[in-house]
Amino acid sequence: MSTAAAIRAYRGPAVFSIGLRPFFLFSALWSAIAAPLWVYAFLNGGPVGLGWHVHEMLFGYAGGIIVGFLLTAVPNWTGRLPVVGLPLALLFSLWLAGRAAMLAVALNADVAAAAWPAAIDSLFLFVMAAVVWREVLAGRNWRNLPVAMMVTVLALANAGFHLEAGAGGVANLSTRLGLSVVTLMIALIGGRVTPSFTRNWQLKRGGPLPAVTGRFDTMTLIVTAAGLLAWSFAPAYPTAGMILLAAGVLNLIRLARWRGEATLAEPLVAILHLGYLWLTTGLVLLGLAAVAPTQVLPSVGVHALTAGAIGVMTLAIMTRSSRGHTGRPLTAGTAEVLIYGLINAAALTRVAGGLIPVAYHPLLITSVGLWSAAFLAFVISYAPILLTPRLGRG
């Protein structure tokens, strides 16, 4: 049975018929709730600290989206059967248990010293790493070994976060390593889907085609990986900054080769290019922070990558993949345009907060409000799609 046939043959609850359904929907809902919860605590002296916010946005939200995407994409890469039904429900339950455990830590000081919340939260990504390794090795899909390696490093960074942070602190090294892995995954996978979807769309309308993937893309990924690795362990080292600046420029050239300017008529495609532009911007700003620390704060580059590259690119993938895998037309409507506008506005105001210190609090509140609105708009618009069977299922 093929991957597509296995999905069509599934007759259980629709939400567990494919990996993206539960993880996209509930990760988005969690993101919409978690961000304002932290800001409220930050402004009013509540118990939810910065460490919780960092962890839940990076390993909770982004980790959930990555898993939802990979559970959907890996079977197509390897030709093996997808994880559906009860196994998918159990994996999703691990993600839910991790969110509950981390919230318990944030709200209860007595729980913070216990080992069980860290163990529960860490288990999810380690199980997912095992799933990806199994599929890649069994399918002899050597091209995606880097993906399996990155999921493993993300799982290790998450476990390291708990060891490094202790009770209520911020795990700087583990956070940088986790952010670097997610950024590199955007460069790798975003660097596949963006030109691929652009080519498919342009072939239908006769527009200019993106450049074919080749040695330049490989070199760009190698430099990006080197820069992010150096930044993870030595964020203030000027050499790390220079490598990141080179990576930012190379990725900008790579993006230009994909002919994104010709996709403006279809927001569902154009948003992928805009998400990748945030990636290049974040790399450049991180590099500048290391080379000229008195001019650019590191947090500016970090938020260009988190609110910008991760926020925009994940919603771009979530909307397009959700429509494609549920039988909907691959074209953006009013809801998608609203979602894209809100998330980009959230990223812009979050980055501006680091550039305009006197307006930090108003811009922070505005950014979080826009961020939450973007993800609520996704939940409201896509819940009927993700919770019901695929259109035209035979």
Side-chain angles (χ1 to χ4, degrees):
M1 183 181 293
S2 68
T3 298
I7 294 173
R8 286 196 299 268
Y10 173 77
R11 288 295 182 268
V15 69
F16 295 121
S17 64
I18 191 171
L20 64 80
R21 287 178 179 266
F23 283 105
F24 283 9
L25 181 60
F26 290 98
S27 293
L29 180 60
W30 181 238
S31 180
I33 295 170
L37 178 61
W38 169 71
V39 168
Y40 177 82
F42 172 69
L43 296 176
N44 296 279
V48 179
L50 178 61
W52 180 85
H53 166 67
V54 170
H55 182 275
E56 289 307 290
M57 289 296 99
L58 182 57
F59 299 105
Y61 164 70
I65 298 302
I66 288 170
V67 168
F69 173 80
L70 291 179
L71 287 173
T72 305
V74 169
N76 290 324
W77 297 343
T78 63
R80 287 173 51 81
L81 298 182
V83 177
V84 300
L86 182 58
L88 176 56
L90 291 174
L91 187 57
F92 176 65
S93 297
L94 281 180
W95 179 84
L96 280 179
R99 310 290 60 77
M102 291 304 298
L103 188 58
V105 169
L107 298 176
N108 189 342
D110 294 332
V111 175
W116 64 265
I120 291 173
D121 176 65
S122 299
L123 184 60
F124 168 66
L125 285 175
F126 279 118
V127 170
M128 184 58 200
V131 170
V132 175
W133 275 109
R134 182 195 68 184
E135 296 305 302
V136 168
L137 294 177
R140 307 179 71 83
N141 185 247
W142 312 128
R143 181 189 182 214
N144 286 300
L145 279 176
V147 175
M149 294 176 185
M150 283 188 279
V151 176
T152 303
V153 175
L154 185 63
L156 290 170
N158 185 35
F161 185 100
H162 296 293
L163 295 173
E164 187 183 354
V170 177
N172 293 313
L173 173 59
S174 301
T175 297
R176 289 194 301 270
L177 188 59
L179 177 56
S180 294
V181 171
V182 176
T183 301
L184 189 58
M185 291 186 79
I186 291 175
L188 175 65
I189 298 175
R192 293 179 186 176
V193 301
T194 303
S196 174
F197 293 164
T198 300
R199 179 177 295 275
N200 292 341
W201 187 72
Q202 293 288 44
L203 285 172
K204 295 177 181 179
R205 65 189 303 271
L209 299 179
V212 177
T213 300
R215 293 181 179 178
F216 178 79
D217 300 88
T218 302
M219 178 185 68
T220 299
L221 289 172
I222 291 172
V223 174
T224 303
L228 290 169
L229 182 63
W231 175 75
S232 295
F233 290 94
Y237 196 51
T239 301
M242 295 300 294
I243 301 173
L244 284 172
L245 286 172
V249 172
L250 288 172
N251 276 287
L252 185 60
I253 296 171
R254 189 186 190 205
L255 174 62
R257 286 157 48 89
W258 296 336
R259 306 302 300 269
E261 74 282 357
T263 68
L264 296 179
E266 179 45 71
L268 206 67
V269 180
I271 191 63
L272 293 165
H273 294 263
L274 189 52
Y276 206 91
L277 180 61
W278 274 110
L279 171 71
T280 70
T281 303
L283 292 172
V284 169
L285 289 173
L286 275 186
L288 289 174
V291 173
T294 59
Q295 304 298 318
V296 180
L297 294 173
S299 62
V300 176
V302 167
H303 288 124
L305 289 177
T306 52
I310 295 176
V312 175
M313 188 60 87
T314 52
L315 278 170
I317 294 293
M318 289 156 66
T319 49
R320 198 222 184 259
S321 296
S322 296
R323 296 191 68 83
H325 285 280
T326 60
R328 269 71 181 182
L330 292 178
T331 185
T334 303
E336 287 76 20
V337 172
L338 174 64
I339 291 167
Y340 302 156
L342 288 170
I343 193 60
N344 277 284
L348 284 170
T349 51
R350 192 68 182 95
V351 170
L355 297 172
I356 313 172
V358 294
Y360 177 78
H361 280 183
L363 288 172
L364 172 63
I365 295 169
T366 302
S367 175
V368 169
L370 291 166
W371 174 279
S372 186
F375 284 96
L376 283 176
F378 175 84
V379 171
I380 293 169
S381 302
Y382 278 77
I385 294 174
L386 296 173
L387 294 174
T388 56
R390 175 186 173 92
L391 292 183
R393 188 181 74 175

